[in-house]
């Protein structure tokens, strides 16, 4: 029995989020430049997207570039932006073939104009696909997103459209960039680091966290299956106790 067959399809996470980490270390271990790691990370993006869609996962969100990543050396940022455009151009036929819809969250205005233009076009070109939504978090950080949500809500209160008593968790969620996406049930981080790094802080309140030592460019379908199988062994109590879950 293969790993994929061992997965209980009736208990799949609807949404998986991934902090893709370890590209730089993967490249340096081979005496190569960090950008070589990013180039090889594309294969892992392809594998994980395909595996998730084949299983029936409806949403996959990948942390591709954080607002803090702008502090990296310019040559690395340029290489990542170029890779983004190249990958989008290369992958659109496969996304359409697999009926995957591309989506993006983050401060997309801060991307170089050609990258954001190509991204917008790809989002449009795949908008009719309904098997899975692949969201790229680009120039994204959770604190940036929450700050913006608070500003929007404050503005609505100031202009009288909302009363302070209307502010609740649902309203806050509806003002985040992920408003059309359910919260992830599973968050994966590769490369052996145990951090969240400003990713989906609000949305992962009850996510199961899975950390693996695999460096992102080595991440393959089997690694995603292992993460999902681990998730399926967890008891998700949402603050309740085990006995209450058994009665339900
Ligand atoms: C983290 O590894 C990875 C990134 C900041 C970039 C992720 C980009 C890709 C996987 C390339 C392709 C992606 C798309 C969506 C086209 P790191 O550089 O922080 O690694 P390190 O911790 O070993 O230095």
């Amino acid at each position: 029995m293969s790993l994929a067959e061992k997965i209980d399809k009736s208990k799949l996470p609807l949404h998986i989020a991934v902090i893709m980490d370890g590209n730089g270390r993967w490249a340096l271990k081979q005496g190569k430049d960090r950008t070589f790691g990013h180039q090889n990370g594309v294969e892992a993006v392809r594998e994980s997207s395909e595996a998730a869609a084949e299983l029936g996962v409806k949403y996959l969100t990948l942390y591709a570039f954080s607002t803090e990543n702008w502090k990296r050396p310019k040559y690395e940022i340029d290489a990542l932006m170029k890779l983004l455009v190249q990958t989008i151009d290369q992958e659109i036929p496969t996304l359409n073939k697999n009926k995957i819809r591309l989506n993006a969250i983050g401060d997309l205005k801060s991307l170089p104009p050609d990258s954001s233009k190509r991204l917008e076009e790809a989002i449009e070109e795949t908008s009719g696909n309904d098997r899975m939504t692949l969201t790229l978090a680009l120039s994204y950080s959770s604190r940036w997103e929450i700050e913006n949500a608070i500003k929007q809500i404050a503005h609505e209160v100031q202009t009288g459209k909302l009363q302070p008593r209307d502010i609740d968790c649902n309203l806050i969620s509806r003002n985040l960039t992920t408003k059309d996406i359910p919260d992830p049930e599973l968050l994966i981080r590769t490369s052996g680091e145990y951090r969240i790094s400003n990713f989906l802080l609000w949305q992962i309140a009850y996510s199961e966290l899975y950390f693996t030592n695999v460096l992102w460019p080595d991440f393959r379908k089997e690694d995603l299956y292992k993460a999902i199988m681990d998730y399926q062994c967890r008891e998700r109590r949402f603050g309740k106790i085990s006995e209450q879950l058994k009665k339900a």
Side-chain angles (χ1 to χ4, degrees):
M1 205 184 197
S2 71
L3 272 187
E5 285 164 343
K6 286 187 189 162
I7 292 175
D8 180 350
K9 306 291 185 309
S10 68
K11 280 168 59 184
L12 277 179
L14 189 63
H15 179 187
I16 302 178
V18 186
I19 302 176
M20 310 184 284
D21 194 17
N23 292 355
R25 277 165 284 164
W26 186 89
L28 295 177
K29 267 187 6 184
Q30 304 180 46
K32 299 272 174 52
D33 185 76
R34 298 177 51 80
T35 54
F36 185 67
H38 299 316
Q39 284 156 14
N40 283 274
V42 174
E43 186 54 31
V45 170
R46 194 178 294 129
E47 286 250 339
S48 47
S49 310
E50 246 181 50
E54 284 162 1
L55 284 171
V57 172
K58 299 306 282 180
Y59 299 89
L60 179 70
T61 300
L62 304 177
Y63 202 7
F65 195 85
S66 71
T67 49
E68 289 79 15
N69 286 152
W70 291 113
K71 296 178 199 153
R72 290 196 176 193
K74 186 176 179 307
Y75 88 93
E76 186 175 339
I77 297 174
D78 291 347
L80 271 167
M81 294 301 147
K82 203 168 147 204
L83 187 63
L84 175 72
V85 175
Q86 268 173 8
T87 309
I88 288 174
D89 284 338
Q90 202 179 296
E91 296 300 321
I92 287 185
T94 320
L95 291 175
N96 282 330
K97 190 180 98 203
N98 292 322
K99 301 222 170 319
I100 299 174
R101 186 169 77 95
L102 189 67
N103 179 34
I105 54 171
D107 187 9
L108 305 179
K109 290 189 301 295
S110 66
L111 299 176
D114 62 326
S115 308
S116 59
K117 184 169 172 281
R118 197 61 202 102
L119 187 65
E120 271 172 36
E121 288 166 355
I123 290 172
E124 179 55 32
E125 285 168 47
T126 61
S127 61
N129 298 334
D130 58 4
R131 190 177 180 200
M132 185 180 86
T133 300
L134 171 64
T135 300
L136 300 180
L138 286 162
S139 193
Y140 171 89
S141 86
S142 207
R143 287 185 173 181
W144 163 83
E145 174 182 51
I146 292 169
E147 186 182 299
N148 279 333
I150 292 171
K151 281 182 189 153
Q152 285 164 31
I153 294 170
H155 180 72
E156 300 212 330
V157 170
Q158 194 181 34
T159 53
K161 288 190 194 130
L162 279 179
Q163 294 299 314
R165 64 172 175 273
D166 298 327
I167 300 171
D168 61 11
C169 288
N170 284 331
L171 181 83
I172 295 169
S173 292
R174 288 203 305 275
N175 278 276
L176 298 175
T177 59
T178 50
K179 60 181 183 304
D180 300 320
I181 307 175
D183 289 345
E185 289 90 352
L186 173 61
L187 172 73
I188 300 172
R189 182 174 188 141
T190 60
S191 91
E193 304 283 359
Y194 297 86
R195 279 193 296 279
I196 302 302
S197 301
N198 216 348
F199 188 44
L200 303 178
L201 298 178
W202 176 270
Q203 298 86 339
I204 61 166
Y206 271 102
S207 303
E208 297 298 328
L209 308 183
Y210 178 87
F211 299 96
T212 170
N213 288 332
V214 174
L215 301 175
W216 181 251
D218 289 330
F219 196 86
R220 290 293 172 270
K221 289 185 177 183
E222 280 66 29
D223 298 300
L224 187 79
Y225 300 152
K226 282 184 202 159
I228 296 175
M229 284 167 63
D230 191 275
Y231 160 83
Q232 293 190 331
C233 295
R234 313 267 181 103
E235 184 182 61
R236 307 194 71 212
R237 291 192 292 279
F238 299 97
K240 295 183 180 171
I241 62 168
S242 273
E243 286 67 23
Q244 289 174 300
L245 300 176
K246 282 169 200 144
K247 274 185 214 149

